[in-house]
Amino acid sequence: CYPLRRSTKINQLMALNIVWSSRALSDLENTKEYLINTWGQSSLNKFLDILEQKISMIMQFPESCPKVAQFKN
């Protein structure tokens, strides 16, 4: 596992209102590993920037992403 450049910020954002499934977290780790091994740190950083932006948008506008029925809270 490669450390995130801003892992603390992403973890804080995820902890507020967004619940990630174990599969989603596993997919995220696999994506990070692929990006760093195939395209390098710069591509990983760009991906993390976009991910942070998307998480922030979901938190600001939660109605833009409906909740999954099994995770209503």
Side-chain angles (χ1 to χ4, degrees):
C1 172
Y2 298 92
L4 290 176
R5 187 168 50 107
R6 294 167 305 277
S7 62
T8 303
K9 184 174 181 182
I10 290 177
N11 288 338
Q12 289 171 345
L13 290 172
M14 290 186 336
L16 294 176
N17 293 325
I18 299 172
V19 177
W20 292 58
S21 68
S22 58
R23 180 176 176 187
L25 290 173
S26 176
D27 288 349
L28 177 59
E29 289 302 316
N30 290 335
T31 299
K32 291 180 344 191
E33 196 169 319
Y34 170 80
L35 287 171
I36 196 126
N37 289 331
T38 305
W39 300 103
Q41 187 68 44
S42 178
S43 290
L44 175 59
N45 292 343
K46 288 177 187 177
F47 170 78
L48 295 176
D49 288 340
I50 293 169
L51 179 60
E52 286 178 7
Q53 290 171 5
K54 299 300 181 184
I55 292 170
S56 292
M57 285 177 49
I58 291 169
M59 291 178 65
Q60 289 177 5
F61 305 101
E63 65 279 357
S64 67
C65 295
K67 294 180 182 179
V68 176
Q70 68 190 69
F71 299 111
K72 290 191 180 207
N73 296 322

PDB file of all heavy atoms in Angstrom, residues 19 65-73:
ATOM      1  N   VAL A  19     -20.110   6.621   3.765  1.00  0.00           N
ATOM      2  CA  VAL A  19     -19.718   5.294   4.226  1.00  0.00           C
ATOM      3  C   VAL A  19     -19.270   4.494   3.013  1.00  0.00           C
ATOM      4  O   VAL A  19     -20.011   4.339   2.054  1.00  0.00           O
ATOM      5  CB  VAL A  19     -20.906   4.574   4.928  1.00  0.00           C
ATOM      6  CG1 VAL A  19     -20.510   3.174   5.347  1.00  0.00           C
ATOM      7  CG2 VAL A  19     -21.387   5.389   6.111  1.00  0.00           C
ATOM      8  N   CYS A  65     -26.416  12.507  -4.893  1.00  0.00           N
ATOM      9  CA  CYS A  65     -26.088  11.072  -4.860  1.00  0.00           C
ATOM     10  C   CYS A  65     -27.024  10.391  -3.875  1.00  0.00           C
ATOM     11  O   CYS A  65     -26.865  10.542  -2.661  1.00  0.00           O
ATOM     12  CB  CYS A  65     -24.647  10.858  -4.431  1.00  0.00           C
ATOM     13  SG  CYS A  65     -23.463  11.495  -5.593  1.00  0.00           S
ATOM     14  N   PRO A  66     -27.983   9.644  -4.379  1.00  0.00           N
ATOM     15  CA  PRO A  66     -28.923   8.992  -3.468  1.00  0.00           C
ATOM     16  C   PRO A  66     -28.226   7.968  -2.577  1.00  0.00           C
ATOM     17  O   PRO A  66     -27.240   7.356  -2.967  1.00  0.00           O
ATOM     18  CB  PRO A  66     -29.916   8.312  -4.406  1.00  0.00           C
ATOM     19  CG  PRO A  66     -29.210   8.188  -5.708  1.00  0.00           C
ATOM     20  CD  PRO A  66     -28.223   9.310  -5.767  1.00  0.00           C
ATOM     21  N   LYS A  67     -28.754   7.820  -1.378  1.00  0.00           N
ATOM     22  CA  LYS A  67     -28.215   6.836  -0.441  1.00  0.00           C
ATOM     23  C   LYS A  67     -28.590   5.434  -0.904  1.00  0.00           C
ATOM     24  O   LYS A  67     -29.650   5.222  -1.481  1.00  0.00           O
ATOM     25  CB  LYS A  67     -28.772   7.078   0.959  1.00  0.00           C
ATOM     26  CG  LYS A  67     -28.331   8.377   1.564  1.00  0.00           C
ATOM     27  CD  LYS A  67     -28.926   8.553   2.935  1.00  0.00           C
ATOM     28  CE  LYS A  67     -28.516   9.890   3.516  1.00  0.00           C
ATOM     29  NZ  LYS A  67     -29.095  10.093   4.841  1.00  0.00           N
ATOM     30  N   VAL A  68     -27.728   4.491  -0.600  1.00  0.00           N
ATOM     31  CA  VAL A  68     -28.007   3.094  -0.882  1.00  0.00           C
ATOM     32  C   VAL A  68     -28.979   2.609   0.186  1.00  0.00           C
ATOM     33  O   VAL A  68     -28.814   2.908   1.376  1.00  0.00           O
ATOM     34  CB  VAL A  68     -26.707   2.277  -0.862  1.00  0.00           C
ATOM     35  CG1 VAL A  68     -27.001   0.798  -1.065  1.00  0.00           C
ATOM     36  CG2 VAL A  68     -25.742   2.788  -1.917  1.00  0.00           C
ATOM     37  N   ALA A  69     -29.980   1.877  -0.205  1.00  0.00           N
ATOM     38  CA  ALA A  69     -31.056   1.454   0.710  1.00  0.00           C
ATOM     39  C   ALA A  69     -30.521   0.794   1.982  1.00  0.00           C
ATOM     40  O   ALA A  69     -31.040   1.043   3.068  1.00  0.00           O
ATOM     41  CB  ALA A  69     -32.011   0.517  -0.012  1.00  0.00           C
ATOM     42  N   GLN A  70     -29.532  -0.039   1.883  1.00  0.00           N
ATOM     43  CA  GLN A  70     -29.047  -0.740   3.060  1.00  0.00           C
ATOM     44  C   GLN A  70     -28.257   0.171   4.014  1.00  0.00           C
ATOM     45  O   GLN A  70     -27.987  -0.209   5.129  1.00  0.00           O
ATOM     46  CB  GLN A  70     -28.204  -1.944   2.666  1.00  0.00           C
ATOM     47  CG  GLN A  70     -26.881  -1.593   2.014  1.00  0.00           C
ATOM     48  CD  GLN A  70     -26.203  -2.797   1.419  1.00  0.00           C
ATOM     49  OE1 GLN A  70     -26.664  -3.343   0.438  1.00  0.00           O
ATOM     50  NE2 GLN A  70     -25.122  -3.227   2.029  1.00  0.00           N
ATOM     51  N   PHE A  71     -27.930   1.373   3.580  1.00  0.00           N
ATOM     52  CA  PHE A  71     -27.185   2.323   4.416  1.00  0.00           C
ATOM     53  C   PHE A  71     -27.965   3.636   4.502  1.00  0.00           C
ATOM     54  O   PHE A  71     -27.467   4.684   4.155  1.00  0.00           O
ATOM     55  CB  PHE A  71     -25.808   2.587   3.842  1.00  0.00           C
ATOM     56  CG  PHE A  71     -24.951   1.374   3.745  1.00  0.00           C
ATOM     57  CD1 PHE A  71     -24.628   0.850   2.502  1.00  0.00           C
ATOM     58  CD2 PHE A  71     -24.463   0.747   4.873  1.00  0.00           C
ATOM     59  CE1 PHE A  71     -23.828  -0.273   2.406  1.00  0.00           C
ATOM     60  CE2 PHE A  71     -23.668  -0.377   4.776  1.00  0.00           C
ATOM     61  CZ  PHE A  71     -23.350  -0.887   3.544  1.00  0.00           C
ATOM     62  N   LYS A  72     -29.156   3.618   5.016  1.00  0.00           N
ATOM     63  CA  LYS A  72     -29.992   4.824   5.044  1.00  0.00           C
ATOM     64  C   LYS A  72     -29.484   5.882   5.986  1.00  0.00           C
ATOM     65  O   LYS A  72     -29.808   7.042   5.854  1.00  0.00           O
ATOM     66  CB  LYS A  72     -31.429   4.472   5.358  1.00  0.00           C
ATOM     67  CG  LYS A  72     -32.090   3.729   4.223  1.00  0.00           C
ATOM     68  CD  LYS A  72     -33.545   3.614   4.423  1.00  0.00           C
ATOM     69  CE  LYS A  72     -34.092   2.849   3.221  1.00  0.00           C
ATOM     70  NZ  LYS A  72     -35.429   3.155   2.916  1.00  0.00           N
ATOM     71  N   ASN A  73     -28.719   5.529   6.959  1.00  0.00           N
ATOM     72  CA  ASN A  73     -28.178   6.529   7.903  1.00  0.00           C
ATOM     73  C   ASN A  73     -26.777   6.785   7.536  1.00  0.00           C
ATOM     74  O   ASN A  73     -25.932   7.237   7.973  1.00  0.00           O
ATOM     75  CB  ASN A  73     -28.326   6.057   9.348  1.00  0.00           C
ATOM     76  CG  ASN A  73     -29.799   5.929   9.717  1.00  0.00           C
ATOM     77  OD1 ASN A  73     -30.607   6.727   9.303  1.00  0.00           O
ATOM     78  ND2 ASN A  73     -30.101   4.915  10.506  1.00  0.00           N
TER      79      ASN A  73
END
